[in-house]
Amino acid sequence: MGRHVGDLSLEELKVYRPELKYKPNDFDAFWENIKAKMDGENPVVRMQARKTAIPTIEVIDIEFESWDETPIKGMIVKPKNVDDCPTIISLHGYTGDRGLPVDYLKWIPLGLVVISFDVRGQGSSPDYARYQNGSRVPGWMLQGIRNPENYYYTNVYRDILLQLKWIRSKDCPLNPTILGLTGSSQGGGLALATAGLDKNIDFVTAELPFIAHFERALSVALSGPYLEIVNYFKFSDPKYNTYEEVLKTLGYIDCVHFCNSITCPVLIASGLEDATSPPSTVFAAYNHIPSESKFIEVYPQYKHENIPLHEEKKIEFIMDICRRNM
């Protein structure tokens, strides 16, 4: 059934569960140390109500001063005069941003709150981290690539851990009764990694997740951010002398390496024509998730793009979890 342009067949994908040979031996200790440090941080958060033409919602703009004082822009979109309700953290795609209130209106009539932050350095938020390497290739994939402790996505994960701490604190103007993660592409990979880092997440939806199974992605991806790394080798290291060093850094942030810790309900989507997040990298993540409630929807003719039908399935999935936890 279906198409599988440049990747494994659907039958092969269903059983594709690769060995995690680039998962570092000290992976768990590395992240436990970072989580302990983030537990000791207290972010400075500034909030401002935004005027909106829609009388049934409230919008709150956020400036979140993260662990290294990077001011990250965020937003809360919520039903008016409702503070105790299911909450979705929306994580955006590569080069994207936190979005606009209109992007989240479908959740408001269902009684849900959406919180969305820029990823540092993307959207309208800066990145105050200092990286020790430059690059001929534009983008964020190579920033700090030889230093796992100060790699770009290590810092992004730090931000998300601190944001979760704040959302659950008395300083946040919400009281999430259920807390879930949703994202596509970069956001999908971040959602899966975060669910592996935080055992108290209630659900995850991840469409076309990126940041997954790098050793495979670098071999088969034909477009998108993985090519930043491919082109690094082409222009700066054509003999691949630093390949093992680069894969070691990526091993600490590869969302597949977090998946064996995910026990909450998970819904994933994959397009069989996706050359940016190749299906084999998506199934590698899915097949390493031990959750007893996990589902993957496959769309044979979709590339790396919005899948309207899947939006309906995502709403059904999340609302079913909300009903069962009322």
Side-chain angles (χ1 to χ4, degrees):
M1 181 201 77
R3 294 154 61 88
H4 47 93
V5 179
D7 208 340
L8 305 177
S9 69
L10 184 56
E11 291 71 25
E12 292 171 305
L13 291 171
K14 289 177 179 178
V15 296
Y16 184 63
R17 190 177 186 273
E19 178 187 357
L20 304 181
K21 63 180 181 179
Y22 284 101
K23 184 173 183 178
N25 292 331
D26 66 342
F27 180 86
D28 292 334
F30 179 88
W31 283 108
E32 286 303 319
N33 181 53
I34 288 177
K35 287 195 289 184
K37 289 180 179 178
M38 291 304 100
D39 283 343
E41 294 283 344
N42 293 299
V44 176
V45 182
R46 290 171 280 274
M47 292 177 282
Q48 177 68 50
R50 184 193 301 191
K51 291 183 179 179
T52 174
I54 304 171
T56 56
I57 72 169
E58 295 178 27
V59 180
I60 302 171
D61 288 314
I62 302 169
E63 185 176 88
F64 184 93
E65 192 172 294
S66 201
W67 54 276
D68 64 348
E69 300 183 353
T70 293
I72 297 174
K73 297 297 198 310
M75 177 177 61
I76 297 172
V77 183
K78 61 189 285 292
K80 193 166 187 177
N81 299 321
V82 176
D83 298 326
D84 298 1
C85 54
T87 300
I88 296 172
I89 300 173
S90 179
L91 298 155
H92 67 75
Y94 199 72
T95 74
D97 66 4
R98 62 195 178 278
L100 298 169
V102 69
D103 298 327
Y104 307 113
L105 290 185
K106 64 188 174 192
W107 300 112
I108 305 304
L110 301 174
L112 279 74
V113 169
V114 177
I115 305 176
S116 181
F117 288 98
D118 286 349
V119 172
R120 64 168 51 223
Q122 301 180 37
S124 56
S125 298
D127 181 359
Y128 284 2
R130 299 180 66 181
Y131 303 104
Q132 285 70 48
N133 65 287
S135 173
R136 292 177 60 185
V137 181
W140 295 274
M141 296 300 298
L142 297 168
Q143 294 184 347
I145 192 63
R146 296 190 179 184
N147 182 0
E149 182 71 31
N150 191 38
Y151 178 53
Y152 175 74
Y153 278 109
T154 306
N155 292 334
V156 170
Y157 291 178
R158 284 187 175 100
D159 296 333
I160 296 173
L161 289 169
L162 197 55
Q163 289 159 6
L164 284 169
K165 178 183 176 182
W166 175 73
I167 290 167
R168 291 175 171 134
S169 76
K170 60 180 178 57
D171 298 320
C172 180
L174 303 171
N175 178 31
T177 56
I178 295 171
L179 186 59
L181 305 163
T182 186
S184 181
S185 191
Q186 171 184 255
L190 295 177
L192 291 172
T194 303
L197 283 166
D198 188 319
K199 300 297 178 61
N200 294 314
I201 295 297
D202 294 304
F203 65 84
V204 177
T205 72
E207 296 88 63
L208 319 173
F210 162 62
I211 327 175
H213 194 22
F214 279 95
E215 60 267 39
R216 173 73 180 172
L218 297 181
S219 296
V220 298
L222 299 176
S223 61
Y226 289 124
L227 295 194
E228 294 177 29
I229 302 170
V230 172
N231 286 326
Y232 157 77
F233 288 115
K234 178 179 179 179
F235 297 129
S236 300
D237 182 14
K239 296 293 188 179
Y240 278 59
N241 292 321
T242 59
Y243 181 81
E244 294 296 323
E245 184 180 7
V246 167
L247 266 290
K248 178 181 177 182
T249 295
L250 297 173
Y252 286 100
I253 61 89
D254 189 324
C255 76
V256 176
H257 295 170
F258 296 90
C259 283
N260 65 351
S261 297
I262 299 176
T263 56
C264 66
V266 181
L267 174 65
I268 293 178
S270 180
L272 294 187
E273 294 193 19
D274 191 345
T276 299
S277 294
S280 56
T281 66
V282 176
F283 273 84
Y286 179 77
N287 288 331
H288 274 282
I289 295 172
S291 171
E292 295 180 357
S293 180
K294 67 173 186 177
F295 310 92
I296 187 164
E297 297 288 344
V298 177
Y299 299 93
Q301 294 189 23
Y302 274 85
K303 302 178 179 66
H304 202 73
E305 58 188 313
N306 182 52
I307 305 173
L309 175 61
H310 191 71
E311 290 300 305
E312 296 283 335
K313 292 184 179 294
K314 185 164 65 173
I315 291 171
E316 181 181 357
F317 173 79
I318 292 175
M319 293 312 299
D320 181 61
I321 292 168
C322 291
R323 283 191 293 269
R324 287 191 281 111
N325 286 274
M326 287 180 63

